[in-house]
Amino acid sequence: MPRAVLVLAALLVPALARGANPVPAHRAQGDLALAARDVLQRRCAACHTGSADPGKSKLALLDHARLTAKGRPVPAPELLLDLVKDGSMPPGNRAAPTAREVTALGAWVKAGAPEFPAAFDDAYVLRHVAADIERELPRNKLRYAGEYLRYASFAHLIRDGEPLPDVGALEAELNAAVSFATSRPEKLVAVDPVGLVFRIDLTRLNWRGSDLFARMSGAKTEGTYTGPASPFDLVLLEYPFAVRRVPGAATAPPLARFLSADNQVRPVPYVRGEWLTAALVQGKELTPLAQDLKSLAALTTALGRAAPPPAGHDARPLAGARPVVSAVPPLAALYASDVTPNPAPFALSVELVANGKPVAKVVEDAPYKLLATADRAVRFVLLKVLADGELRVQQVEGGDALRAKEPRELSPGGDGFATGPETLGFLLLACTDELPAPLVLRSRHADKHVWRFLLESSAKYPFDPGAVVRKWVPVLAGK
Ligand code: HEC
């Protein structure tokens, strides 16, 4: 086999890649820490809470800093191993650790008791994201804190009382997906001691491009869009697991600057690693989203060299995309269909009707309308999605309001929407408040564009994404 093919095969087959390479240091240390913490959490933590109450111990075994603090006659990690081995801990009739668990504790102590956190929560990830940005700041001249830095994390997969995931395999899959999507062998750098949080360096991956899109008004361009719309911003637009954050400790500088609207399209400090893998690669194929990134990376390169822009890739229909229920709904996702906040602020339904009757498919030469119903008074915006990926804000007769529980037929005028192969479907976004007009963006490719829309919150329309419900209405042609 030629060398290039071998390299590609290794990228595509994570297990092979892992087998061929020695376990990296962060993974070796991280796995020891994970395994030891898991034993301590299940067998010891109920009593070792750090409290002085009877039956409890002041030695909080999940508090790594205290556990490894200097000054004890016998360091706590060695002591706990001795007490477990001689059978005095756990005391009484509590289930003793298995031989395997004792081995895990022993290996961890022997390696110098590598660090673990008391909990693998959002705060853990944010702490290490913030620390990494601080470390990188002095090394680079940046406009914004963390301008080219993004992160992926597996910390949410570590749940107390549940089996530990194979983080090494997940990491290898993520590296393989990023390598495939960028056509360069990539190993993301771990930024936390357990090896769960990985830096995505947008500059290295050519996912940092700016000024890649033009603002659209109908079919006309209205100049370059200068807001955040890097290739990786497209990933953030799709992300369904964003967390609602209250201003405070979790968003202290430099995180606040990192998450600001000048720097990224949605305030998402990190994405789940296995979600990113699946968002880029499905089976042996790049996903449509990864193809968007690839064509935008090629555009970035061309614009950087002042070369004529290349053509993009063939647009891929949104039809079939899955519905999303989310705490912070990805309203402008293109590879999701219905998007509903959790909890849903109201019920919304939309269907196709022809001659006042619901239809599953539209028929040639028979105009159709959309029948929309909400269980309370809402305002809406409607977007038309065309087969080549083009997006258009669709005006309808009679304004942008739905009355509570009063079905309303939406039509551009005349008999309704004309049938034709070019319309893929409609996105209806509704909110109890007024919504901003969607900003439609088209990539500056010579042909075959990447299209996106944004709903920008402004002083005039300060809407809450958690109050917006989005419905996808595919327009299927039939007989
Ligand atoms: C049923 C409650 C309980 C469980 C379960 C338990 N311990 Fe303890 N442990 C205690 C108490 C009580 C003490 C003594 C009081 C103190 O240290 O504050 C103690 C003391 C210790 C000490 C000595 C503390 C010191 O500061 O010198 C170590 C080390 C220890 N335990 C390790 C473990 C380990 C490891 C496990 C799990 C395999 C475990 N214990 C499970 C209750 C428990």
Side-chain angles (χ1 to χ4, degrees):
M1 220 191 290
R3 217 187 121 88
V5 176
L6 271 175
V7 171
L8 191 67
L11 288 176
L12 296 179
V13 185
L16 196 74
R18 285 190 78 208
N21 298 329
V23 178
H26 69 268
R27 188 69 276 126
Q29 293 282 99
D31 282 347
L32 289 174
L34 278 177
R37 184 191 170 282
D38 186 53
V39 177
L40 298 176
Q41 194 279 322
R42 280 183 295 108
R43 305 283 186 196
C44 329
C47 302
H48 284 269
T49 55
S51 99
D53 294 345
K56 306 283 179 198
S57 168
K58 277 195 270 190
L59 182 63
L61 289 176
L62 295 187
D63 183 341
H64 187 270
R66 283 172 64 191
L67 191 64
T68 51
K70 304 268 179 296
R72 295 174 141 265
V74 182
E78 277 82 356
L79 177 65
L80 75 79
L81 186 61
D82 289 347
L83 295 184
V84 167
K85 279 187 173 164
D86 73 12
S88 31
M89 279 294 147
N93 52 6
R94 294 279 185 136
T98 62
R100 234 190 135 122
E101 291 174 335
V102 178
T103 307
L105 286 176
W108 171 71
V109 171
K110 197 170 162 215
E115 187 179 339
F116 52 69
F120 289 100
D121 51 9
D122 190 46
Y124 170 77
V125 183
L126 290 183
R127 204 157 60 235
H128 290 289
V129 164
D132 191 57
I133 294 171
E134 295 270 30
R135 270 194 303 271
E136 289 289 303
L137 281 181
R139 306 205 299 133
N140 295 281
K141 280 207 167 81
L142 302 174
R143 280 180 305 164
Y144 307 129
E147 181 177 317
Y148 63 92
L149 298 168
R150 299 292 181 269
Y151 299 88
S153 170
F154 295 109
H156 62 283
L157 296 175
I158 317 291
R159 296 193 195 99
D160 287 351
E162 288 181 26
L164 288 172
D166 182 349
V167 183
L170 292 165
E171 178 186 342
E173 279 163 20
L174 177 57
N175 279 329
V178 171
S179 302
F180 190 13
T182 56
S183 306
R184 67 196 296 286
E186 179 62 24
K187 281 202 178 96
L188 301 177
V189 173
V191 301
D192 69 316
V194 188
L196 297 172
V197 185
F198 292 89
R199 179 194 302 150
I200 299 169
D201 181 328
L202 299 186
T203 311
R204 270 174 68 87
L205 301 176
N206 202 14
W207 282 350
R208 190 185 175 185
S210 55
D211 302 345
L212 302 175
F213 287 87
R215 309 165 66 103
M216 299 303 289
S217 166
K220 283 209 300 269
T221 58
E222 286 195 319
T224 302
Y225 175 68
T226 54
S230 72
F232 196 76
D233 280 309
L234 269 46
V235 173
L236 298 185
L237 284 181
E238 304 290 326
Y239 189 57
F241 302 111
V243 173
R244 223 173 249 279
R245 291 197 162 72
V246 278
T251 50
L255 273 185
R257 199 73 192 93
F258 173 58
L259 295 174
S260 75
D262 312 324
N263 192 29
Q264 46 184 35
V265 74
R266 291 173 76 207
V268 175
Y270 62 91
V271 296
R272 295 184 179 189
E274 79 289 3
W275 174 85
L276 180 57
T277 301
L280 296 174
V281 178
Q282 214 99 110
K284 291 202 166 114
E285 307 271 337
L286 285 183
T287 60
L289 174 62
Q291 286 175 25
D292 286 349
L293 299 193
K294 228 178 164 139
S295 63
L296 289 173
L299 180 62
T300 305
T301 306
L303 295 179
R305 292 191 190 127
H313 68 97
D314 279 324
R316 224 253 1 184
L318 191 143
R322 278 197 243 136
V324 167
V325 176
S326 170
V328 184
L331 292 177
L334 226 66
Y335 300 117
S337 57
D338 293 357
V339 174
T340 317
N342 184 18
F346 54 86
L348 176 70
S349 72
V350 196
E351 57 189 338
L352 294 175
V353 289
N355 294 320
K357 291 203 188 73
V359 287
K361 296 180 170 180
V362 301
V363 194
E364 216 179 314
D365 296 330
Y368 60 92
K369 297 178 181 175
L370 303 177
L371 184 70
T373 317
D375 65 357
R376 76 189 56 180
V378 295
R379 311 289 288 270
F380 66 85
V381 295
L382 188 62
L383 278 155
K384 187 174 180 176
V385 185
L386 304 186
D388 66 355
E390 179 175 344
L391 299 168
R392 275 191 211 157
V393 177
Q394 176 68 56
Q395 304 299 336
V396 295
E397 255 182 351
D400 66 348
L402 295 180
R403 290 204 200 130
K405 296 181 183 140
E406 271 184 34
R408 183 183 149 195
E409 285 191 354
L410 309 182
S411 160
D415 296 333
F417 295 100
T419 50
E422 71 277 8
T423 305
L424 208 64
F426 293 90
L427 282 171
L428 184 88
L429 295 114
C431 181
T432 46
D433 290 326
E434 196 168 346
L435 282 161
L439 177 66
V440 176
L441 302 178
R442 189 184 83 178
S443 67
R444 293 166 64 198
H445 287 106
D447 187 17
K448 297 186 178 177
H449 309 277
V450 174
W451 291 79
R452 285 298 185 274
F453 72 97
L454 305 175
L455 288 171
E456 290 184 313
S457 189
S458 64
K460 197 170 169 205
Y461 299 111
F463 79 101
D464 166 13
V468 182
V469 177
R470 161 180 144 163
K471 287 278 170 198
W472 166 240
V473 197
V475 175
L476 306 170
K479 289 199 182 96

